Amino acid sequence: MNRAEFSGHFERDPRLAVHANSPLPAWLWSSDSSRIIWCNEAGAALFGARDAAELAARKFGPADQHRR
């Protein structure tokens, strides 16, 4: 599943759309907690990223406080 398909899934699924469109931050971490693979706009802003793509490109090291 590519990024566009993944993002579109969140918007089409009513259980997930509430998080995608929420003013509250929401994100989904990779299984090893080294990356955020999806976030809403508020989630990106919380990490100081312009958008979800910028945040998805960021790698979090083992000592990063956000991984804990």
Side-chain angles (χ1 to χ4, degrees), residues 2-61:
N2 66 33
R3 182 166 297 285
E5 290 169 333
F6 188 74
S7 293
H9 181 73
F10 273 90
E11 293 170 3
R12 288 189 306 273
D13 188 319
R15 297 167 298 171
L16 302 174
V18 67
H19 300 292
N21 300 315
S22 174
L24 299 174
W27 49 86
L28 178 63
W29 288 86
S30 63
S31 61
D32 67 357
S33 302
S34 66
R35 297 183 182 277
I36 293 177
I37 57 175
W38 175 87
C39 69
N40 63 8
E41 288 182 37
L46 185 77
F47 283 92
R50 287 176 292 155
D51 55 26
E54 181 181 320
L55 186 56
R58 191 176 300 173
K59 190 161 186 162
F60 295 87

